């Protein structure tokens, strides 16, 4: 008898598990979001830093348990601001993990700082704290840990090293909204942390981001610098009769529209529910895919509760692209996310494969499979069925 696992693979001409492709990610947008956006537009306050943006910032600060949340038009601009507010001398060095999105490195680069790429752990793609001190020189001013896949970086160890060397810590939490580290939400573990609300993230405002901090002085400078270096923030809030605002610093145009702010309020209200659905799917995968030969899961950081922004599996390096193609033929999409920074044209001069063994091992073995709140039970079963079928015939 032919069982599903010994049935001919679709990549070899067999029947696929499904003819309706299961996508990798999908935002969850409801009538509530649409209503909120419509109301914001009807209010005619469509420009930046409006009442809905302020409301979103207030609610996000309460949710995370941090003092200041400043809503921005992306996480990339948040990372730029994280360095713009510091005025570090040009050529100071900033340590950035080699396995991350380009934006983590662009923050320091846009501020004339030198990026030093650091290796990551082969089992989860986060900064390898055992190697971290080896990158520190007399010119190092900052470290930028990343919470890859939503799994928080090892912040106790990173902060201890930062304290020892007097370094500024910018946590790129683009992927980890709603994740906890040692009982507290990400956003509480660094000097400043940055979040993304891009359409692929656990909550979205279309495009969007935030920078968060407990430091009043840093927050004050962010409010000015995100608004082209003007003091418009207090002009809008303080109800002082002035009739104009002043140009008090340098800056850029990084505030976010009130339309997106409205969506932030409704998305945030549903975030815990959406993250719970992701956790349920992740538990299902962990249960149903465990014990498959040649398939490993990503290591969750000790003391962390991940938001399961991504679900990664580690597969045999030499078969990775074949597995990806075979899963696609079965109707289940998978991908590799991004390549290590030094493998990209712009970052070629930052090192070679031999400099980043952990990063190369992780990248060579990583595949992402579908996870998002609206993934149906039937689709989850199809993902598991396709993975089992393909791995049975590796
Ligand atoms: C780790 C990391 N940092 C920064 C970003 C940039 O986010 P945004 O698209 O909001 O600028 C991303 C986006 O995927 C990311 O994954």
């Amino acid at each position: 008898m032919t069982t599903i696992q010994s049935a001919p693979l679709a990549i070899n001409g067999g029947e696929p598990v499904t003819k309706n492709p299961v996508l990798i990610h999908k935002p969850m947008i409801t009538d509530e979001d649409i209503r909120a956006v419509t109301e914001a537009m009807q209010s005619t306050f469509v420009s930046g830093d409006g009442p809905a943006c302020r409301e979103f910032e207030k609610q996000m600060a309460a949710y995370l348990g941090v003092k200041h949340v400043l809503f921005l038009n992306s996480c990339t601009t948040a990372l730029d601001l994280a360095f713009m507010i510091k005025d570090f001398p040009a050529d100071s060095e900033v340590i950035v993990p080699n396995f991350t999105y380009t934006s983590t490195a662009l923050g320091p680069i846009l501020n004339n700082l030198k990026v030093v790429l650091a290796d990551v752990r082969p089992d989860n793609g986060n900064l390898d704290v055992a190697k971290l001190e080896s990158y520190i020189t007399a010119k190092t001013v900052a470290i930028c840990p990343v919470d890859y896949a939503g799994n928080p970086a090892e912040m106790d160890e990173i902060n201890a090293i930062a304290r020892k060397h007097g370094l500024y810590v910018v946590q790129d939490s683009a992927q980890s909204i709603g994740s906890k580290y040692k009982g507290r939400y990400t956003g509480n573990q660094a000097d400043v942390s940055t979040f993304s609300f891009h359409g692929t993230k656990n909550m979205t405002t279309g495009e969007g981001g935030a920078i968060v901090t407990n430091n009043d002085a840093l927050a004050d400078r962010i409010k000015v610098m995100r608004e082209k270096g003007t003091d418009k923030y207090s002009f809008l809030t303080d109800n002082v009769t002035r009739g104009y605002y002043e140009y008090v610093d340098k800056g850029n145009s990084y505030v976010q529209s009130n339309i997106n702010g409205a969506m932030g309020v409704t998305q945030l209200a549903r975030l815990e529910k959406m993250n719970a659905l992701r956790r349920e799917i992740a538990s299902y995968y962990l249960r149903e895919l465990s014990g498959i030969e040649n398939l490993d899961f990503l290591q969750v950081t000790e003391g962390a509760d991940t938001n399961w922004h991504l679900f990664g599996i580690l597969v045999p390096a030499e078969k990775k692209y074949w597995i990806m193609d075979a899963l696609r033929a079965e109707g289940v999409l998978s991908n590799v996310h991004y390549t290590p920074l030094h493998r990209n044209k712009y970052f070629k001069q930052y090192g070679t494969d031999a400099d980043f063994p952990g990063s190369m091992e992780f990248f060579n073995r990583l595949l992402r499979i579908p996870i998002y709140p609206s993934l149906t039970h039937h689709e989850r079963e199809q993902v598991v069925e396709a993975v089992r079928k393909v791995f049975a015939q590796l």
Side-chain angles (χ1 to χ4, degrees), residues 74-76 79 100-101 103-104 146 172 174-175 196 198 201 208:
S74 74
C75 184
T76 305
L79 287 155
T100 184
Y101 196 65
S103 306
T104 322
V146 174
D172 183 351
Q175 302 177 12
S196 172
H198 177 261
K201 299 301 189 291

Side-chain angles (χ1 to χ4, degrees), residues 73-79 99-104 146-148 172-175 194-201 207-209 309 337-338:
N73 45 17
S74 74
C75 184
T76 305
T77 55
L79 287 155
F99 194 77
T100 184
Y101 196 65
T102 187
S103 306
T104 322
V146 174
D147 304 329
Y148 182 68
D172 183 351
S173 296
Q175 302 177 12
T194 63
F195 291 99
S196 172
F197 308 123
H198 177 261
T200 54
K201 299 301 189 291
E207 296 280 350
H309 170 56
H337 210 191
Y338 32 65

Side-chain angles (χ1 to χ4, degrees), residues 37 39-54 227 232 236 256-262:
V37 165
E39 279 168 18
M41 293 183 78
Q42 285 166 339
S43 79
T44 73
F45 198 142
V46 292
S47 48
D49 193 21
C53 298
R54 296 283 174 102
E227 189 53 292
K232 192 170 168 189
L236 284 175
Q256 180 66 298
S257 156
N258 202 46
I259 303 169
N260 304 70

Side-chain angles (χ1 to χ4, degrees), residues 15 31 47 53 59-60 63 79 129 133 166 190 196 209 221 237 240 256 272 284 302 319 352:
E15 272 299 298
D31 288 346
S47 48
C53 298
Q59 291 186 14
M60 176 72 80
Y63 170 75
L79 287 155
V129 293
E133 277 194 291
S196 172
R221 196 151 191 226
T237 331
V240 187
Q256 180 66 298
E272 284 288 303
Y284 174 74
E302 208 184 310
K319 299 271 179 64
T352 65

Side-chain angles (χ1 to χ4, degrees), residues 181-223:
Y181 177 76
K182 311 249 166 119
R184 298 184 76 200
Y185 285 115
T186 56
N188 283 284
Q189 289 84 25
D191 291 307
V192 303
S193 304
T194 63
F195 291 99
S196 172
F197 308 123
H198 177 261
T200 54
K201 299 301 189 291
N202 289 33
M203 61 164 280
T204 182
T205 58
E207 296 280 350
I211 185 162
V212 318
T213 183
N214 284 313
N215 181 313
D216 297 340
L218 293 182
D220 283 346
R221 196 151 191 226
I222 293 163
K223 286 174 192 164

Side-chain angles (χ1 to χ4, degrees), residues 53-336:
C53 298
R54 296 283 174 102
E55 184 58 26
F56 175 45
E57 289 175 343
K58 198 172 101 195
Q59 291 186 14
M60 176 72 80
Y63 170 75
L64 295 176
V66 296
K67 233 168 148 182
H68 306 282
V69 171
L70 286 317
F71 187 34
L72 305 169
N73 45 17
S74 74
C75 184
T76 305
T77 55
L79 287 155
D80 182 9
L81 273 176
F83 290 95
M84 200 188 288
I85 55 178
K86 291 298 284 185
D87 290 330
F88 288 123
D91 288 335
S92 300
E93 292 173 3
V94 177
I95 298 172
V96 170
N98 181 37
F99 194 77
T100 184
Y101 196 65
T102 187
S103 306
T104 322
L106 289 179
I109 287 170
L110 290 170
N111 289 280
N112 300 318
L113 307 173
K114 186 177 163 216
V115 163
V116 173
L117 295 182
D119 205 8
V120 303
R121 286 172 56 139
D123 59 358
N124 68 11
N126 276 349
L127 204 53
D128 188 338
V129 293
K131 296 180 181 172
L132 184 53
E133 277 194 291
S134 70
Y135 302 102
I136 296 175
T137 71
K139 286 188 164 182
T140 309
V141 291
I143 312 174
C144 282
V146 174
D147 304 329
Y148 182 68
N151 177 37
E154 292 165 86
M155 292 309 296
D156 279 356
E157 289 80 356
I158 292 166
N159 281 329
I161 292 170
R163 265 195 305 275
K164 183 172 153 196
H165 297 274
L167 306 177
Y168 176 59
V169 180
V170 176
Q171 189 171 358
D172 183 351
S173 296
Q175 302 177 12
S176 72
I177 187 78
S179 296
K180 285 185 176 164
Y181 177 76
K182 311 249 166 119
R184 298 184 76 200
Y185 285 115
T186 56
N188 283 284
Q189 289 84 25
D191 291 307
V192 303
S193 304
T194 63
F195 291 99
S196 172
F197 308 123
H198 177 261
T200 54
K201 299 301 189 291
N202 289 33
M203 61 164 280
T204 182
T205 58
E207 296 280 350
I211 185 162
V212 318
T213 183
N214 284 313
N215 181 313
D216 297 340
L218 293 182
D220 283 346
R221 196 151 191 226
I222 293 163
K223 286 174 192 164
V224 167
M225 287 188 144
R226 71 170 174 172
E227 189 53 292
K228 303 126 198 142
T230 73
D231 63 356
K232 192 170 168 189
Y233 185 91
S234 52
F235 174 81
L236 284 175
T237 331
D238 297 349
N239 281 327
V240 187
T241 312
R242 267 190 294 166
Y244 63 90
Y245 41 86
E246 279 193 79
Y247 314 141
V248 294
D249 207 333
K250 64 178 180 179
N252 214 323
S253 188
Y254 292 161
V255 289
Q256 180 66 298
S257 156
N258 202 46
I259 303 169
N260 304 70
M263 194 171 169
V265 173
T266 47
Q267 286 269 318
L268 178 62
R270 286 203 315 280
L271 177 64
E272 284 288 303
K273 215 162 127 192
M274 294 192 287
N275 279 350
L277 287 165
R278 284 176 183 269
R279 286 194 179 97
E280 193 188 302
I281 297 164
S283 304
Y284 174 74
Y285 286 162
L286 290 170
R287 192 174 63 241
E288 297 297 322
L289 300 177
S290 76
I292 294 182
E293 204 180 336
N294 290 317
L295 184 154
D296 292 316
F297 300 119
L298 271 58
Q299 186 67 42
V300 175
T301 299
E302 208 184 310
D305 182 11
T306 170
N307 69 359
W308 293 106
H309 170 56
L310 308 175
F311 195 94
I313 54 175
L314 298 173
V315 309
E318 67 286 2
K319 299 271 179 64
K320 167 167 142 160
Y321 291 102
W322 179 84
I323 295 170
M324 196 169 96
D325 290 342
L327 285 173
R328 188 185 312 113
E330 298 298 338
V332 169
L333 299 188
S334 68
N335 71 15
V336 298

